[in-house]
Amino acid sequence: MNIKTDEGSSFALIAEIEKETKRRIDEIIKQAKIQAEQIISTAKKQAEIIIKEEKEKAQRLCSIMEQKAEATFNMEIRKMRLQMKQRFADLVLEKVHSLAPIFRQKPEYRTFLQKAIMEGIMVIDREKIIVKFSPEDKIFFDAEMEKEITEMSQQLFKKRFSINLVEGEFKEIGIIVCSEDNLISYENTFSARLKRMYEKIYSELLSEEING
């Protein structure tokens, strides 16, 4: 056996193994790089998706907060406007109330009483009617007044009523109309009219704010 030949063959084999090993290492490294790039690319896409979703969430949250802030602001504005309108209604009614004693001295007060009685008769709508008046208005409720309201009611409602004028126990202007058995009563005094007026005005003001 030739020793030199054997050594040459050994070196050649080693070189071939090293070459093959290097090739496989290079291939493994190449595949690892490709996988790493794929992982990085996938991670980057996932990160972009997450960033986009978080950005949209933040935008939605900001939008909701803005809407809530605007709604709260608008609610406060409406509340202030309603309070101002309510105060306005209070001032109007206070002014009207202060003029009530003066109204009693006016020539048209008698006509006002007659109209108030007609309203009461329309509400009660009974054959026998009792009209209660303030002692301070006794001067108006004479035989002539009874005759006038009887005729007015007959003309207005096309039927005849038996109307009994009775002095009441209240002092304010206006009247109270009730049925003979007192089961049905319609208060048409100044306070009652003011209360109805206030409820109507306040209801209209509230409706304006609700409906914008």
Side-chain angles (χ1 to χ4, degrees), residues 67-77:
Q67 290 174 3
K68 285 184 176 180
E70 184 178 358
T72 302
F73 176 75
N74 290 337
M75 188 180 296
E76 288 301 317
I77 291 295

Side-chain angles (χ1 to χ4, degrees), residues 44-155:
K44 186 177 179 181
K45 289 179 181 178
Q46 288 294 328
E48 289 175 351
I49 291 172
I50 292 171
I51 290 171
K52 183 180 179 182
E53 289 177 348
E54 291 302 318
K55 186 178 179 181
E56 289 175 351
K57 285 181 182 178
Q59 289 176 340
R60 285 197 297 269
L61 181 60
C62 288
S63 178
I64 291 171
M65 291 175 68
E66 287 177 359
Q67 290 174 3
K68 285 184 176 180
E70 184 178 358
T72 302
F73 176 75
N74 290 337
M75 188 180 296
E76 288 301 317
I77 291 295
R78 283 191 172 187
K79 183 179 178 182
M80 290 175 62
R81 286 170 56 186
L82 185 58
Q83 287 175 344
M84 291 175 66
K85 289 182 176 181
Q86 183 177 357
R87 180 55 183 158
F88 171 75
D90 290 340
L91 289 173
V92 170
L93 296 182
E94 285 174 13
K95 182 63 176 178
V96 174
H97 196 276
S98 67
L99 296 174
I102 301 174
F103 182 49
R104 192 171 242 144
Q105 310 302 321
K106 297 287 183 180
E108 59 268 27
Y109 182 59
R110 182 183 177 88
T111 303
F112 162 78
L113 290 173
Q114 291 174 338
K115 289 181 178 179
I117 293 170
M118 292 304 108
E119 288 178 15
I121 292 174
M122 181 176 65
V123 172
I124 301 301
D125 193 22
R126 291 290 186 273
E127 182 180 345
K128 294 183 178 182
I129 298 288
I130 296 175
V131 176
K132 297 179 182 180
F133 57 88
S134 168
E136 297 186 21
D137 291 331
K138 188 174 182 179
I139 187 174
F140 298 104
F141 288 88
D142 50 17
E144 184 63 24
M145 171 68 91
E146 185 173 358
K147 178 183 176 183
E148 288 176 359
I149 60 176
T150 300
E151 291 176 353
M152 286 177 64
S153 62
Q154 189 172 359
Q155 291 175 2

Side-chain angles (χ1 to χ4, degrees), residues 124 126 128-130 177-185:
I124 301 301
R126 291 290 186 273
K128 294 183 178 182
I129 298 288
I130 296 175
V177 181
C178 55
S179 58
E180 187 181 34
D181 54 13
N182 282 308
L183 294 178
I184 307 174
S185 179

Side-chain angles (χ1 to χ4, degrees), residues 3-20:
I3 295 175
K4 290 183 177 180
T5 302
D6 290 341
E7 287 179 355
S9 298
S10 296
F11 285 133
L13 180 59
I14 291 170
E16 183 65 27
I17 291 172
E18 288 178 347
K19 183 180 179 182
E20 178 64 21

